[in-house]
Amino acid sequence: HVQLVESGGGSVQAGGSLRLSCAASGYDYNGYCMGWFRQAPGKEREGVAAIDSDGSTSYLDSVKGRFTISQDNAKKTLYLQMNSLKTEDTAVYRCAADLTCVGKFGYWGQGTQVTVS
């Protein structure tokens, strides 16, 4: 079965960096769109970044220039490098996968907490 497992979250001071990882298994990783989403307390979930099967990427405006999404297809692992973190980046970050970057994602990880103070 499809499994997405995030890691790399934690607490960091504003201006710091973190790198999130998402290990995927149970499906043909290649050919899928992968995305990072986040949800802060009391706020709706928002898409942070996505990388399509052709390598094209997209970002939430507020993270452009600070976050970088990448993947290692051989390791079936998705990454999110987060630099210059701000307090407003505090949220639970989840990775997701689907055949297309358009519409709702069908597969989700459990999430990892990122706290910026």
Side-chain angles (χ1 to χ4, degrees):
H1 67 285
V2 175
Q3 192 169 18
L4 301 172
V5 180
E6 302 94 337
S7 61
S11 297
V12 64
Q13 290 188 337
S17 298
L18 283 174
R19 188 176 82 153
L20 305 183
S21 299
C22 171
S25 61
Y27 70 103
D28 183 7
Y29 186 85
N30 298 314
Y32 273 67
C33 173
M34 300 294 296
W36 285 101
F37 293 77
R38 69 185 182 187
Q39 187 165 19
K43 295 186 178 181
E44 293 189 354
R45 184 173 64 201
E46 60 182 356
V48 175
I51 182 165
D52 211 338
S53 56
D54 63 359
S56 59
T57 58
S58 60
Y59 295 91
L60 182 68
D61 283 347
S62 62
V63 307
K64 285 181 181 177
R66 300 189 297 122
F67 291 11
T68 302
I69 189 171
S70 64
Q71 61 186 353
D72 185 328
N73 288 344
K75 294 183 178 180
K76 297 185 179 181
T77 301
L78 176 73
Y79 302 100
L80 184 67
Q81 178 66 45
M82 305 186 293
N83 299 328
S84 302
L85 281 161
K86 304 177 180 180
T87 55
E88 51 263 44
D89 295 319
T90 295
V92 174
Y93 285 72
R94 300 175 71 186
C95 65
D98 212 303
L99 287 171
T100 175
C101 287
V102 179
K104 294 182 178 180
F105 281 69
Y107 303 112
W108 292 86
Q110 290 298 310
T112 186
Q113 176 70 46
V114 171
T115 302
V116 185
S117 59

